[in-house]
Amino acid sequence: MTVTVNTLVTPATSSQKTTKLAIPHSHEKDCNIVGVLEQVAPEQPTQGRRIALILHGALGHKDYLFQKRLALRLPFDSFRFDFRGNFETNGSCYFGRFENDVVDLEVVVEYLTRKYGYVIDTIIGHSRGSVVGALWICKHRDGASKTVRRYVNVAGRYRMEKIYDEMELHKAELESQGFVIRKAVVARKPIERKVYRQDYDEFASVNVSVVWDQFPAHIDVLTLHGLKDAVVPPYDAYIYARIYGARTPGTHTLRYVEEADHNFTGIPEEVVEPVLEWIQQQERGELRTGIWHTGVKDDIENRKGLYGRTSML
């Protein structure tokens, strides 16, 4: 099923087209992955055109936080979608089992490359979606992900075993009823999910360390992380900086945001604007490994009054 939703006017183009897609899942019966395709030049052929994929985090959806806002500002086509069991995509959603999300991403990539002829250029992931994106890139480094030039890691977790810290906070609940109830509001609707001890074990067992040896050396990486993130420790961003910063010719840029929490609540522009600028810097060949705007004093001074705080380091 392909449903054209509407045509939007954005700064990127005067004829941007938004199309909702329902992609048949080849590994899950009676499941369609629902997503939104943004095209900056819908009148032009898509064969060989580059596209960005935007991946949401746990208990999220394709339009939450900064995702939709960023998609409408990107200077090239993008696709954002709901992982299995989230919002408009049916099926079962699990606290662990990251491999299911990787498979969902494989289904999306296969569809976009086969039906439209797109070339996967950019992966932008938040939290769980960031981990899934990195795992997919590593898994398909000799195949579909060879064309990827950019990867944006927003609040991605590296030390998966730290999830046991959260489990410990709910120890009494887990022991008394055998599960923990996680609550969230998705698209303005409250939802609840039961998380069992096995789910925590599956989560903690995800092997993200493959990025040390298997993440392609040519991909430029931007890591964004809030210093007030109470879900994923900001130190994980430093670990990623060590990993991705050791590659060549690909670069790694680390940007901490002083007042941001895990979801960049209330300040989505602190993700959108840097991503857009970082892409422009890459296009101009100006990227270098280091902290955001390394050595640029004016950038720090000029940002002091923005939102009442210094937000870039």
Side-chain angles (χ1 to χ4, degrees):
M1 177 182 73
T2 302
V3 181
T4 300
V5 180
N6 55 5
T7 300
L8 304 169
V9 176
T10 73
T13 176
S14 60
S15 60
Q16 185 156 332
K17 182 180 179 182
T18 299
T19 305
K20 179 177 283 190
L21 305 178
I23 301 173
H25 204 301
S26 53
H27 299 273
E28 179 85 357
K29 185 179 179 181
D30 300 324
C31 176
N32 291 312
I33 297 178
V34 179
V36 176
L37 176 65
E38 302 286 356
Q39 295 176 295
V40 298
E43 73 285 354
Q44 297 179 6
T46 55
Q47 185 68 39
R49 270 167 56 181
R50 293 184 174 271
I51 191 170
L53 303 181
I54 303 176
L55 315 178
H56 69 77
L59 298 179
H61 61 89
K62 58 186 174 295
D63 286 338
Y64 85 150
L65 307 183
F66 60 85
Q67 280 82 339
K68 181 177 180 179
R69 187 176 305 203
L70 175 60
L72 294 175
R73 299 271 314 271
L74 286 172
F76 44 82
D77 294 1
S78 68
F79 185 72
R80 61 190 189 276
F81 64 95
D82 299 319
F83 283 104
R84 218 179 313 180
N86 288 273
F87 193 30
E88 294 186 304
T89 297
N90 50 357
S92 299
C93 176
Y94 297 91
F95 184 72
R97 305 194 190 183
F98 278 57
E99 64 272 16
N100 284 4
D101 293 3
V102 174
V103 170
D104 291 352
L105 182 51
E106 290 171 343
V107 171
V108 167
V109 169
E110 193 279 332
Y111 182 86
L112 293 175
T113 55
R114 173 179 52 81
K115 184 174 179 62
Y116 289 88
Y118 276 119
V119 175
I120 310 303
D121 177 76
T122 304
I123 301 292
I124 303 169
H126 172 252
S127 192
R128 181 186 180 108
S130 179
V131 174
V132 170
L135 293 176
W136 175 81
I137 288 173
C138 292
K139 181 179 179 181
H140 296 280
R141 62 190 183 280
D142 295 324
S145 73
K146 287 181 67 175
T147 61
V148 175
R149 296 186 298 159
R150 310 180 184 98
Y151 165 62
V152 179
N153 163 33
V154 184
R157 187 187 295 270
Y158 179 80
R159 296 170 296 170
M160 305 301 289
E161 71 280 0
K162 293 288 286 183
I163 198 65
Y164 286 130
D165 294 347
E166 176 188 310
M167 187 185 75
E168 192 65 24
L169 295 175
H170 301 284
K171 184 177 180 180
E173 185 180 0
L174 194 61
E175 290 180 347
S176 65
Q177 61 188 19
F179 56 83
V180 174
I181 296 180
R182 289 172 59 93
K183 298 180 180 180
V185 177
V186 177
R188 299 185 177 87
K189 295 182 179 179
I191 64 169
E192 293 185 356
R193 295 272 169 80
K194 293 180 179 179
V195 181
Y196 297 85
R197 172 58 192 253
Q198 179 183 347
D199 295 318
Y200 282 105
D201 292 338
E202 289 179 351
F203 190 106
S205 67
V206 175
N207 182 20
V208 186
S209 68
V210 296
V211 298
W212 281 97
D213 302 317
Q214 299 181 28
F215 195 90
H218 72 275
I219 298 176
D220 289 312
V221 179
L222 170 64
T223 293
L224 304 171
H225 212 113
L227 288 178
K228 291 191 175 181
D229 190 336
V231 177
V232 177
Y235 186 75
D236 283 31
Y238 168 72
I239 297 175
Y240 279 122
R242 291 183 58 194
I243 297 170
Y244 296 131
R247 302 165 308 120
T248 185
T251 65
H252 178 267
T253 303
L254 172 62
R255 178 179 185 269
Y256 281 121
V257 181
E258 185 177 8
E259 294 295 326
D261 61 13
H262 185 63
N263 291 332
F264 286 73
T265 303
I267 48 174
E269 66 278 359
E270 293 288 4
V271 175
V272 175
E273 297 296 339
V275 169
L276 295 176
E277 183 175 346
W278 177 75
I279 290 173
Q280 292 173 356
Q281 289 174 353
Q282 190 208 43
E283 294 292 343
R284 296 193 299 263
E286 297 174 353
L287 292 181
R288 59 178 176 173
T289 292
I291 299 174
W292 180 263
H293 285 190
T294 299
V296 183
K297 178 182 178 182
D298 288 344
D299 181 68
I300 300 296
E301 297 301 317
N302 292 337
R303 299 284 293 191
K304 280 185 177 179
L306 189 60
Y307 316 116
R309 59 189 175 274
T310 300
S311 59
M312 287 189 184
L313 296 179

